[in-house]
Amino acid sequence: MSQKNLFNRSALAIAVAIISSNASAAGFLLNEYSTSALGRAFSGAGAVGDNASEGSRNPAAMMLFDRPALSVGAVYIDPTVDIKGRDNDMFTANNIAPNALVPNAHFIFPINDKWAVGTSMTTNFGLATDFSKDYAGGLAGGKTDLKTVNLNLSGAYRLNDNFSFGLGANAVYADAEITRHLGAASPSRPSTTAAKLKGDDWGYGWNAGILYEINQDNRLSFTYRSKVKVKFEEGKFSSDLPPLSGSTVKGKLDLNLPDVWEFSGYHKVAPQWAVHYTAAYTGWSTFKELTAYQKSNGKELFHKPEHFKDAWRLALGTTYFYDDNWTFRTGIAYDESPVPAKYRSISIPDQDRYWLSAGSTYAFNENASVDVGIAYMYGKKVNINERLKEDSPATMTHFKSEGSAWLYGVNFNYTF
């Protein structure tokens, strides 16, 4: 296999792999912005207003607070994702998705009864898959890792008793790495690094939201988070194979992160009960193609059209206010995969997913509380047909994949 083909295959793999996660929402979108939201399967996001985390989902929701509020915590993701070789057990790999900790932090500061500002730190995108170095399908598997941090600064304005508006600015830091090994392409040295690509950079975007309060027990929210382009301008590519033989060259790649539209509602239907729901639409079709260039001379290294489709997420949940100290919640959700079946890869075995969540809040007093939450996510079983070498139809290999994950969260909340 030529060095160019190895580069094309590997660079393509990291860019495409960034479009899928095996641990959370379909695609590579992460929802884990708070533990209370986890406990209700993220239903009612941006409309519930139970703690400061709502400001990151809908900046207009900051007008629900009359005192400064803080929320900090994390969600731990424990996935189980297996790849099975349908024709040959040598292509079977279990537990390819490592565990992950997703932190969050939020602060809301009401200026007066008309204005509020806030800030948050969340992780909106991310994934990780890790095959062993001697995995037979090393040119398609290997290690794929994406970490992001979203820093948000936002403001909100209350127009009247019913309408509030919010606007925010986002800075997204992305760090990506992929490693591919020869695998079955060289049985005598399967763990040899065929390609390694690393890069990190910043992208910028914005978000906006509207909150409509029908009354104190019923409200609706509508939010939009813009597309973000991350330009990997200083990517580093290396290989143990000739002609690089351990040396490194620079490449660049633009990655378009999708926009998200979200509608949510919250209704307190009885003194101790509330229901909440969300419909979210992610513009995955913005990912039309991938093109990479060599940094030194601008030469096109590869160009590949993509076929992702826009996708929906639907969630429904309920909250029970037991007493002044205890609150309980639960929720269900459905995540639609943006990846058409014939374009799945073993490094991106994306699938439709179903959620079942539960959680509770314990209030120590009127100022301090702690949230705990747990969720189970199950992905549909899917079949994958993939060429281990991009330019060789004879290497078509057949797989099947199934995945699930347990998610555990805890957040501490304080109002000043």
Side-chain angles (χ1 to χ4, degrees):
M1 180 183 296
S2 70
Q3 181 63 37
K4 178 180 178 180
N5 285 337
L6 277 174
F7 178 84
N8 289 359
R9 176 63 177 170
S10 301
L12 179 62
I14 189 169
V16 176
I18 289 174
I19 309 304
S20 180
S21 168
N22 297 299
S24 188
F28 73 105
L29 187 68
L30 292 178
N31 273 314
E32 288 76 12
Y33 69 97
S34 89
T35 296
S36 60
L38 173 71
R40 57 178 186 265
F42 309 103
S43 61
V48 176
D50 50 359
N51 56 61
S53 66
E54 288 295 85
S56 67
R57 203 69 169 201
N58 180 8
M62 295 190 296
M63 297 312 304
L64 296 172
F65 296 80
D66 56 11
R67 293 189 295 164
L70 172 74
S71 182
V72 294
V75 175
Y76 181 74
I77 304 173
D78 182 13
T80 300
V81 181
D82 299 329
I83 296 291
K84 305 292 185 182
R86 288 160 55 194
D87 303 321
N88 193 323
D89 285 342
M90 68 185 294
F91 293 108
T92 293
N94 296 322
N95 295 320
I96 65 169
N99 299 349
L101 186 68
V102 182
N104 65 83
H106 315 267
F107 181 70
I108 292 174
F109 183 78
I111 298 173
N112 51 42
D113 60 357
K114 288 288 188 180
W115 293 94
V117 295
T119 186
S120 66
M121 184 281 293
T122 57
T123 299
N124 293 333
F125 305 100
L127 79 128
T129 56
D130 194 1
F131 292 76
S132 65
K133 290 184 178 181
D134 59 354
Y135 176 61
L139 293 177
K143 178 181 179 181
T144 305
D145 185 74
L146 171 70
K147 299 181 179 71
T148 68
V149 176
N150 187 100
L151 304 178
N152 174 266
L153 180 63
S154 57
Y157 172 71
R158 177 179 288 280
L159 180 65
N160 52 41
D161 290 341
N162 301 110
F163 282 101
S164 297
F165 303 89
L167 185 65
N170 297 281
V172 179
Y173 174 75
D175 186 296
E177 177 183 348
I178 186 172
T179 302
R180 294 291 183 262
H181 303 98
L182 286 182
S186 178
S188 63
R189 48 186 187 131
S191 61
T192 298
T193 299
K196 184 174 184 179
L197 184 65
K198 297 183 65 175
D200 65 284
D201 223 312
W202 288 86
Y204 304 93
W206 58 278
N207 65 300
I210 300 172
L211 182 70
Y212 177 63
E213 297 175 72
I214 303 170
N215 52 48
Q216 66 177 3
D217 293 329
N218 298 274
R219 46 188 174 265
L220 304 172
S221 78
F222 183 71
T223 62
Y224 174 75
R225 187 166 67 232
S226 75
K227 303 173 186 177
V228 174
K229 177 178 286 189
V230 180
K231 294 187 175 183
F232 292 98
E233 294 285 351
E234 299 293 333
K236 298 179 180 179
F237 175 77
S238 61
S239 173
D240 290 339
L241 304 177
L244 292 183
S245 300
S247 61
T248 301
V249 297
K250 292 184 178 180
K252 59 181 181 179
L253 171 74
D254 290 349
L255 179 66
N256 294 312
L257 306 180
D259 57 354
V260 181
W261 301 82
E262 189 168 65
F263 173 77
S264 296
Y266 171 87
H267 307 282
K268 194 170 184 180
V269 296
Q272 290 182 283
W273 286 97
V275 295
H276 24 77
Y277 48 86
T278 289
Y281 186 73
T282 303
W284 287 110
S285 60
T286 191
F287 191 73
K288 299 181 184 301
E289 62 182 21
L290 283 169
T291 306
Y293 302 92
Q294 190 167 332
K295 180 74 172 178
S296 60
N297 56 23
K299 179 181 177 182
E300 184 178 293
L301 295 167
F302 74 83
H303 172 81
K304 183 178 183 296
E306 290 300 335
H307 306 275
F308 288 87
K309 61 180 182 178
D310 298 341
W312 285 93
R313 186 179 197 276
L314 305 175
L316 175 67
T318 185
T319 297
Y320 176 60
F321 305 96
Y322 179 73
D323 57 24
D324 291 340
N325 299 106
W326 286 100
T327 300
F328 301 95
R329 57 185 64 90
T330 188
I332 58 175
Y334 166 72
D335 271 321
E336 181 185 19
S337 171
V339 183
K342 67 179 181 178
Y343 299 110
R344 292 191 187 104
S345 167
I346 63 170
S347 65
I348 52 167
D350 202 55
Q351 55 212 242
D352 294 346
R353 293 157 190 188
Y354 302 91
W355 290 71
L356 179 62
S357 300
S360 66
T361 297
Y362 179 76
F364 301 100
N365 50 52
E366 65 177 7
N367 298 321
S369 65
V370 63
D371 303 322
V372 294
I374 184 172
Y376 178 71
M377 183 277 295
Y378 173 74
K380 294 175 60 178
K381 295 180 181 180
V382 295
N383 292 320
I384 301 168
N385 304 310
E386 184 171 14
R387 297 177 185 176
L388 297 185
K389 298 180 182 178
E390 187 72 16
D391 56 350
S392 177
T395 64
M396 179 67 74
T397 307
H398 306 286
F399 307 86
K400 63 180 178 180
S401 175
E402 58 182 310
S404 63
W406 286 96
L407 298 91
Y408 312 90
V410 60
N411 264 66
F412 175 75
N413 312 299
Y414 194 83
T415 54
F416 297 87

